[in-house]
Every structure is written in structure tokens, then in C-alpha cells.
Amino acid sequence: MMTDLMCLATAIFFEARDQPITGQELVAEVIMNRVEHQRFPDTVCGVVYQPKAFSFTHDGLSDDMDVHEAPADVEAKGLAIELAKDYIEDNKRLGSSATHYHTLEVSPFWVDAFLVDGVFGDHIFYTCEGFC
């Protein structure tokens, strides 16, 4: 069983390893905001592995960071773990209220139900107001 730290690191790695550090931090922020929101599971692993919440968990590919051995991926894994430590152990927060995001390449059915917080890198971030 994975720890919350490794669940968060894995999500950062697979969802945003190609993004600048702030983009990776915003993904971590979304996950932590969901942990604190009453409509989502109350653990990091519960949020990350909630059915169909994050694309990497149901894309049919391995969710194991260690199978990615290219130097850039090894570096991204180390960064993802460090960022996860910042969020889990040091309670780091950027102050974003975002609970959802998607890449610029897709348009999920739910986009009109949320408030746009902003765009960073190739992700659009949204806040769930009230019922989500």
C-alpha cells in the first residue's frame, strides 16, 4: 500500500512532470484542496485514486514511476517526491482554491459548472463552489 506522500508524488509525476515547478505545485494544491473538501475522500491516496479523478489512474498504463528510466524522468521523480514532502510534511500551500484542472487539449463536461481560477502551463484550474 502506498503512503500519502507517494500517492501525491505519483500524481504530480504523471499529471504534470512536463510542467514548470509552479504547475506541478498547482496540481499538488488541487489534490490537497480536495482532501480538505467535504465532497472528496479525506486522504491523499483516496483523492488520487478516486475512480476517474485523474487520467493517469485509468489510462491503461503503469502507474509506477520507476518504470520511467530516462534521465529527465528520474529527475522529475525526485522533484515530485520533494514537492510531495513540501505539501504533506511541511503543509506548503500556494493559496489556490482550485479543486479541478484539465489540459488545454480537452474540454470536460463539467467546465461550465466551475469557476476558472486561471491557466498555468498547459492546464486550466477551476474552483468548485458549493456542490461539485
Side-chain angles (χ1 to χ4, degrees):
M1 178 137 182
M2 289 176 62
T3 64
D4 278 348
L5 188 141
M6 289 310 294
C7 286
L8 184 58
T10 300
I12 293 167
F13 179 85
F14 284 107
E15 292 287 303
R17 74 180 179 262
D18 64 339
Q19 298 299 297
I21 291 173
T22 301
Q24 294 179 47
E25 290 173 321
L26 286 166
V27 166
E29 190 100 351
V30 164
I31 292 166
M32 299 309 290
N33 286 343
R34 285 186 180 195
V35 169
E36 296 166 358
H37 195 284
Q38 69 275 8
R39 297 278 300 154
F40 297 96
D42 60 1
T43 66
V44 172
C45 289
V47 165
V48 169
Y49 289 99
Q50 187 176 18
K52 299 196 176 189
F54 297 96
S55 59
F56 83 93
T57 66
H58 60 276
D59 62 6
L61 303 174
S62 173
D63 296 347
D64 182 357
M65 291 186 285
D66 292 333
V67 303
H68 298 271
E69 298 175 337
D73 289 331
V74 172
E75 183 178 335
K77 176 185 172 186
L79 177 59
I81 291 169
E82 288 305 311
L83 290 175
K85 284 179 184 176
D86 287 347
Y87 277 82
I88 301 242
E89 296 174 3
D90 299 333
N91 201 30
K92 179 178 182 170
R93 294 295 186 276
L94 297 177
S96 168
S97 61
T99 53
H100 293 73
Y101 64 87
H102 64 82
T103 67
L104 298 172
E105 297 174 4
V106 299
S107 182
F109 69 91
W110 48 261
V111 296
D112 292 333
F114 299 92
L115 300 174
V116 174
D117 286 338
V119 178
F120 193 89
D122 67 1
H123 288 92
I124 303 174
F125 293 86
Y126 298 83
T127 293
C128 164
E129 288 282 319
F131 181 81
C132 48

